[in-house]
Amino acid sequence: MTDLIMGVETSCDETAVAMVEDGKKIISNIVASQIKVHQKYGGVVPEIASRQHMECIIPVIDKALSESGKKLSDLSGIAVTYGPGLVGSLLVGLSVAKAIAYAQNIPLIGVNHLEAHIYANFLEHKGIKTPLICLIVSGGHTSLVYIKDFRKYKLLGQTKDDAAGEVFDKIAKVLDLDYPGGPIIEQLAKEGNSSLIKFPRPLLNDGSYDFSFSGLKTAVIYYIKELKEKNKIIPVKDILSSFQQAVVDVLVEKTLRAALEFKTKQIVLAGGVAANNSLRKKIKEKASLLNIRVFYPSISLCTDNAAMVASAGYYKLKENKKSSLDLDVVSRLTLV
Ligand code: KG4
Ligand code: ZN
């Protein structure tokens, strides 16, 4: 018998609902992005985000159901992100999921958004085996995690300040580029010279698995400011390419070092920044020299979606880790 799980994701600016069978087979996967609404403000406005979720959640559920050809009564459970994220936004998804769980008398499974990002990998790749090292790089988080066994996490290090995605977004804003900055910077960086400007590689050789990107962000902002003050031409593509290279160098170096220390032969990438091709390419190249395999989700499953929530929820349900109907949202939530 198959287990059909509905995943619900409303932690930030995507209203997403998916139907997934047995934690692996995506039957439908609907993402209503609010990016256009927030773009004119240069970033996500929490109040607007929750209102948008309220407007979209029922139509998105209807679409996920109709595309799957299934009914609510076919569900074995409903998995929902309860944190980390924007409280008002999380509440919309959690409330709807609770109502469905109650009405259908099926288990509610609260899912940590960071854990869901990891599970995006299991939707597509069959060959992933523990132990492994996972690099989670999103708009809100940058963490290096040792996964000894499924759902057994050890946090090796994390960012002390800005997350990797956050610096992409902030630098895009300084240069009047659209939100989110990551995909646009990646595009422009392709035509730039990545070794033209030697931006700092923070904490590269400090021996820890922690990250810090705010100093790099300041270095880039000051570089632009100085050129502006001197009325010089700003080589946007070279700056972005050199900046992206600095971020990628630090992420790749620390992740490979962790894989060597913990003697793992597999690495998985997770989160929005894992969509970055420069990061994917460099880590794959360097890892292959060490006989280490690298997995990452396809681009659409790197950024926020509900299929990854349904997948993580399925495995939690297998362990009988159900949530009670008084589950609350948690804005700041770590993996371990
Ligand atoms: O995982 P995600 O969709 O949301 C969070 O959980 O935060 O990640 C969004 C972040 C944004 O900061 C965005 O700029 C970044 O991921 N991002 C990228 C790329 N695509 C998205 N960063 C670098 N390169 C990309 N191609
Ligand atoms: Zn995310």
Side-chain angles (χ1 to χ4, degrees), residues 71-93:
K71 306 181 290 299
L72 285 177
S73 56
D74 296 325
L75 292 174
S76 313
I78 181 156
V80 58
T81 304
Y82 73 99
L86 303 169
V87 169
S89 295
L90 289 163
L91 269 172
V92 176

Side-chain angles (χ1 to χ4, degrees), residues 55-281:
E55 275 179 32
C56 294
I57 190 72
I58 301 297
V60 171
I61 288 176
D62 283 344
K63 192 156 186 226
L65 280 171
S66 67
E67 281 199 7
S68 71
K70 305 278 183 188
K71 306 181 290 299
L72 285 177
S73 56
D74 296 325
L75 292 174
S76 313
I78 181 156
V80 58
T81 304
Y82 73 99
L86 303 169
V87 169
S89 295
L90 289 163
L91 269 172
V92 176
L94 183 59
S95 310
V96 170
K98 280 181 184 178
I100 293 174
Y102 182 72
Q104 296 296 321
N105 196 21
I106 52 170
L108 174 77
I109 312 135
V111 169
N112 181 323
H113 182 79
L114 300 174
E115 188 167 24
H117 271 303
I118 299 173
Y119 274 84
N121 283 286
F122 298 111
L123 285 164
E124 296 179 305
H125 305 299
K126 306 271 176 279
I128 304 179
K129 287 192 184 73
T130 54
L132 52 87
I133 294 292
C134 176
L135 174 70
I136 307 175
V137 267
S138 70
H141 292 83
T142 305
S143 314
L144 206 47
V145 182
Y146 173 57
I147 307 181
K148 192 164 185 269
D149 203 348
F150 286 97
R151 308 206 59 251
K152 303 262 181 308
Y153 306 112
K154 180 180 157 72
L155 183 67
L156 303 179
Q158 58 189 330
T159 183
K160 290 167 175 273
D161 38 60
D162 292 359
E166 195 176 351
V167 276
F168 274 88
D169 297 339
K170 286 181 175 167
I171 285 174
K173 199 168 180 177
V174 169
L175 287 167
D176 285 327
L177 301 170
D178 268 345
Y179 169 84
I184 298 163
I185 289 183
E186 176 172 4
Q187 240 0 75
L188 294 169
K190 272 186 198 157
E191 292 163 39
N193 179 350
S194 64
S195 48
L196 192 72
I197 308 149
K198 287 273 162 282
F199 287 126
R201 268 89 172 135
L203 306 187
L204 184 63
N205 295 311
D206 73 332
S208 83
Y209 291 118
D210 286 331
F211 301 93
S212 165
F213 291 113
S214 100
L216 168 62
K217 174 190 70 188
T218 310
V220 177
I221 291 172
Y222 270 86
Y223 189 87
I224 297 166
K225 195 168 166 251
E226 238 180 82
L227 289 176
K228 273 188 185 161
E229 280 169 4
K230 289 180 186 157
N231 273 327
K232 289 196 172 162
I233 292 168
I234 299 170
V236 172
K237 290 174 180 169
D238 296 328
I239 292 172
L240 294 179
S241 191
S242 301
F243 153 71
Q244 178 176 269
Q245 196 58 54
V247 175
V248 167
D249 282 352
V250 177
L251 294 176
V252 171
E253 174 74 25
K254 294 219 169 195
T255 308
L256 289 177
R257 217 183 280 158
L260 288 177
E261 186 186 332
F262 287 85
K263 299 188 173 49
T264 65
K265 285 288 165 203
Q266 300 202 338
I267 288 171
V268 298
L269 307 182
V273 184
N276 187 283
N277 281 303
S278 203
L279 170 64
R280 290 167 174 240
K281 197 163 164 255

Side-chain angles (χ1 to χ4, degrees), residues 9 11 113 117 138-139 271-272 302-304 308:
E9 158 61 42
S11 68
H113 182 79
H117 271 303
S138 70
C302 282
T303 46
D304 289 350
M308 65 184 194

